[in-house]
Amino acid sequence: MTDHDPGPRGADGRCVFEGCCGRRDSSVRLIDARMPELARCLTLFQHVQAVTGGPVARIDQAGGYAVPSLRGDAFAVTPGSITLRVDGDGIASAVVARDAGTGSVALHLLDAAGRTAHQGRLLSEGDRLLAGLARTVDAGASATGPSAAPAVPAWENGDQLAQLDAVLADGGTARRRAFHRYRGEHRTIDPGVVPAVLDHVCSLGLPIGVAVFAPAALQACGGRVHVTDRTVGGRVFAAVAESSVEIDLAGVRACHLVRSTAAHGPTSAIELDDEDGRCVAVITQFGIVGADVHAAWEHLTASLPDRRA
């Protein structure tokens, strides 16, 4: 699931999507990637290994899907469920594919460039049977067309959700290039503080929210950090509620602390950018949390040092 990922391949190395390009393979089914049909399909599956991300950040959670949201819609992280948000204009197709070698079946959401935005591996036979009942579309069909989502507020003076949706649109590159226009508080901090932040909230039992981005999709979680770990190579791991989050600090080129209006007023978010200036992960507080939790998070983020020039 990288930016150059050609898509999943079978045991013989052949792309499992060949059937989508006119050579129909019985192990590959194109399904309707448009909302609300896609939402209905996803929420049918109860036992899924859902993965979103790329080489720098990745989130992994097993379970069932909450109703996914579209960019521009309301957003909430549903405890115990897989929380997915997509840019309806960026998801070009959805494919259910069976790997001939392992027999595993997975749903793949793809952008217009064929990059994997999200993957959900179906873990139960019941879910695989339900996938066979999903509404199909003809080869060459896509989800492109007029978006039914409402207009997204301008990020320059928008709230927390407007910031997330600006990242969802293009990785946040346009926003970052013009970030001097942002009317909220923001500063650059050292990416090296991220492991300490995760260790600290873990030791305090302070819940956090994490969103990880891929092309046209984000997957989010929220809750207490149960375990943290890191490797010599700079990879950081955290078990957040029911999710596993992995960040390759060696691939993080910039880290920003951004405050925007959320449920409890101005709320800080740690934004991690890759070498291309795309935001790959956000650590923050989502939705309604205890006032003491919000105050503790703001106290922690205010103590983070600026990045030295």
Side-chain angles (χ1 to χ4, degrees), residues 104-263:
S104 63
V105 177
L107 169 76
H108 306 266
L109 303 184
L110 307 175
D111 71 358
R115 297 177 299 180
T116 301
H118 174 76
Q119 175 180 297
R121 188 161 62 90
L122 307 183
L123 302 178
S124 74
E125 189 58 36
D127 285 340
R128 295 175 193 130
L129 291 173
L130 286 173
L133 301 177
R135 178 182 171 187
T136 59
V137 295
D138 293 332
S142 72
T144 57
S147 174
V152 178
W155 60 264
E156 290 91 340
N157 57 355
D159 60 8
Q160 181 189 67
L161 187 52
Q163 310 310 312
L164 294 174
D165 277 349
V167 176
L168 189 57
D170 66 349
T173 53
R175 170 176 174 262
R176 196 66 82 204
R177 285 194 300 266
F179 211 53
H180 59 279
R181 300 204 309 259
Y182 180 56
R183 299 182 184 181
E185 299 174 49
H186 60 96
R187 58 191 176 94
T188 304
I189 61 176
D190 188 342
V193 304
V194 171
V197 168
L198 294 173
D199 288 345
H200 187 65
V201 297
C202 181
S203 65
L204 289 181
L206 184 68
I208 58 171
V210 180
V212 174
F213 295 85
L218 75 81
Q219 186 176 328
C221 64
R224 292 191 174 188
V225 179
H226 305 299
V227 178
T228 63
D229 196 8
R230 71 190 77 174
T231 67
V232 174
R235 288 191 174 272
V236 178
F237 301 87
V240 184
E242 295 84 10
S243 294
S244 174
V245 176
E246 176 183 349
I247 299 170
D248 181 8
L249 284 181
V252 175
R253 292 295 178 265
C255 188
H256 302 264
L257 188 68
V258 180
R259 297 191 84 208
S260 55
T261 303

Side-chain angles (χ1 to χ4, degrees), residues 1-5 52-58 116 212-215 234-235 246-252 274-276 278 280:
M1 292 191 44
T2 70
D3 292 331
H4 303 289
D5 184 4
T52 301
V56 180
R58 169 188 170 107
T116 301
V212 174
F213 295 85
R235 288 191 174 272
E246 176 183 349
I247 299 170
D248 181 8
L249 284 181
V252 175
D274 67 11
E275 61 184 3
D276 296 319
R278 292 169 299 188
V280 295

Side-chain angles (χ1 to χ4, degrees), residues 59 61 69 74-79 81-85 159-165 167 206-213 218-224 240-241 243 245 258 260-271 279-291 293-295 297-298:
I59 185 171
Q61 181 177 344
S69 62
F75 175 68
V77 176
T78 305
S81 297
I82 299 160
T83 299
L84 191 66
R85 187 172 181 83
D159 60 8
Q160 181 189 67
L161 187 52
Q163 310 310 312
L164 294 174
D165 277 349
V167 176
L206 184 68
I208 58 171
V210 180
V212 174
F213 295 85
L218 75 81
Q219 186 176 328
C221 64
R224 292 191 174 188
V240 184
S243 294
V245 176
V258 180
S260 55
T261 303
H264 294 276
T267 301
S268 298
I270 299 172
E271 300 182 356
C279 181
V280 295
V282 171
I283 305 171
T284 187
Q285 296 289 339
F286 294 126
I288 301 293
V289 297
V293 170
H294 184 265
W297 172 251
E298 290 305 306

Side-chain angles (χ1 to χ4, degrees), residues 48-72:
V48 182
Q49 195 77 34
V51 180
T52 301
V56 180
R58 169 188 170 107
I59 185 171
D60 187 323
Q61 181 177 344
Y65 286 97
V67 178
S69 62
L70 272 173
R71 178 174 177 263

